[in-house]
Amino acid sequence: MPPDVTLESPNTHRLVSRIAPHWREALGLLVLGSLASLAVTMREWGEMFHQWWNIDTYSHILLIPFIIGWLVALKASELAQIAPKPWLPGLGVIAMGLVLWFVGRMTDTNLIAHAGAVGTLQGIVIASLGPRACTIIALPLCFGVFLVPFGDEIIEPLQVITAEIAIVLTHLSGIPAFSDGIYIDTPVGLFIVAEACSGVRFLIAMITLAVLVAYTRFTSWSRRLAFLAASIIIPIIANGIRAWGTIFIAQSQGVEFAAGFDHVFYGWFFFAFVVILILGLAWRYFERDPEDYGWSVDEVHGFEILKRLEPYHASPMKVLAGTLALCILAGGTAMIAAPVAIG
């Protein structure tokens, strides 16, 4: 008689058995809801991944899913002490995300559509796990905002600021020059603060890192805000100094040498140097280890507002049905409205 054949590996069975029953239900709901959301917003996620993979400004976003996973893993022991309860008002968050996605899709505004796709997924997490569990993982949940590629909107102002800093330092270094917007005319040639030189790539990555550090290493809001401010101001000033350095080197070594030096220095050393500088200045003021970030289970259990939200819990099937209905409605409406929007 042939042996029984099973499609479930012993290792998988052991892994699933280690998950508490209430968490199995919640995670199953989360997976099914996420798949429904991705089916509707697949185009936007494809566009975002294309930007993460192919555009240098957004390449740091490829690390964010791993950072989110790490932050959640740090809270695993505390999450195990909480019973996740699907939350009916979470459907409202999903609906708002889908409305934002729909508006972005219909108006062909990628930033809005991408934000809606990410917001919908965040809403599904809230609806699937409930407010208590989501309070424990508030940081990684909110950190998902940085999955949205943004920053093109500030390129032009950054170009102007960089040019202004560079021209001031050029005059202070004794080099005759005058500027017209992003153009800097010097004895050795005309320099242009192009989009690639605006510093937006570094600034966006630095803001992302700063938020992570601020909420994992500091407890006081004053230090968090000071660190965030420094993480914005210092890179902008440093980029202006870098632009001036290119002009200064061009005076003595030639334009070609300066351009090559700027490419290597900016691409390989500039980012690392400024990050080390900012973290080095803040190191002595760190107030806790990363694994201690956020609220503890005891603190969460003591929040009165969470107690008031208890009556709005619902069964997993009701939340799943509501999630599927919203996704089908949004996807169907977009399919019907798309020809009208195009025409």
Side-chain angles (χ1 to χ4, degrees):
M1 184 175 180
D4 293 336
V5 178
T6 177
L7 296 178
E8 185 178 18
S9 70
N11 290 335
T12 301
H13 178 73
R14 283 195 295 268
L15 178 62
V16 172
S17 64
R18 292 175 59 185
I19 302 175
H22 47 266
W23 270 103
R24 290 181 215 169
E25 286 188 353
L27 292 176
L29 172 59
L30 176 59
V31 170
L32 292 175
S34 298
L35 290 175
S37 167
L38 292 173
V40 174
T41 61
M42 182 60 69
R43 189 179 86 176
E44 282 66 35
W45 285 102
E47 291 170 350
M48 286 190 285
F49 184 80
H50 173 79
Q51 290 178 280
W52 304 343
W53 190 262
N54 294 293
I55 301 177
D56 289 342
T57 302
Y58 307 119
S59 58
H60 68 279
I61 300 180
L62 291 169
L63 297 175
I64 290 180
F66 298 99
I67 294 173
I68 292 174
W70 170 66
L71 291 171
V72 172
L74 290 178
K75 291 294 183 181
S77 60
E78 295 181 64
L79 289 172
Q81 302 175 49
I82 289 181
K85 297 179 180 179
W87 195 50
L88 208 55
L91 296 177
V93 183
I94 298 174
M96 288 189 290
L98 288 171
V99 168
L100 194 63
W101 164 80
F102 180 82
V103 171
R105 171 74 73 93
M106 293 302 102
T107 60
D108 200 27
T109 308
N110 286 341
L111 180 62
I112 295 177
H114 296 166
V118 173
T120 300
L121 199 57
Q122 291 170 312
I124 290 171
V125 175
I126 295 171
S128 301
L129 305 184
R132 288 191 184 274
C134 288
T135 301
I136 292 290
I137 58 170
L139 175 58
L141 182 59
C142 295
F143 203 69
V145 168
F146 290 106
L147 291 169
V148 180
F150 67 92
D152 288 348
E153 304 78 14
I154 61 174
I155 288 178
E156 187 174 341
L158 287 177
Q159 287 176 277
V160 174
I161 293 172
T162 299
E164 290 179 352
I165 295 173
I167 192 65
V168 169
L169 293 176
T170 300
H171 288 157
L172 290 176
S173 60
I175 299 172
F178 67 89
S179 65
D180 181 13
I182 61 173
Y183 298 91
I184 301 175
D185 197 2
T186 72
V188 296
L190 180 66
F191 292 85
I192 303 173
V193 181
E195 290 185 5
C197 301
S198 67
V200 65
R201 176 177 64 176
F202 175 46
L203 181 60
I204 296 302
M206 191 66 230
I207 291 173
T208 305
L209 176 62
V211 170
L212 177 64
V213 173
Y215 284 90
T216 55
R217 303 310 303 268
F218 297 108
T219 57
S220 64
W221 277 99
S222 59
R223 292 189 177 184
R224 285 175 178 172
L225 293 175
F227 182 77
L228 288 171
S231 298
I232 294 173
I233 296 171
I234 293 177
I236 291 175
I237 294 175
N239 193 57
I241 295 173
R242 179 194 64 83
W244 162 76
T246 302
I247 296 172
F248 186 80
I249 293 173
Q251 303 303 307
S252 58
Q253 304 297 324
V255 175
E256 291 185 4
F257 178 86
F261 177 82
D262 177 67
H263 176 74
V264 174
F265 178 74
Y266 183 63
W268 294 99
F269 300 110
F270 179 73
F271 180 82
F273 172 77
V274 177
V275 169
I276 292 172
L277 173 65
I278 294 174
L279 292 179
L281 293 173
W283 194 274
R284 61 178 296 185
Y285 301 105
F286 286 165
E287 298 169 309
R288 64 183 175 192
D289 294 325
E291 55 267 24
D292 297 325
Y293 83 86
W295 293 289
S296 66
V297 174
D298 292 337
E299 289 175 318
V300 169
H301 283 315
F303 288 158
E304 288 296 327
I305 188 171
L306 296 180
K307 295 178 182 178
R308 296 174 186 173
L309 298 176
E310 291 288 342
Y312 300 101
H313 292 303
S315 68
M317 290 307 298
K318 285 184 178 180
V319 173
L320 178 60
T323 300
L324 294 178
L326 288 171
C327 290
I328 292 171
L329 178 62
T333 304
M335 290 179 64
I336 295 171
V340 177
I342 293 174

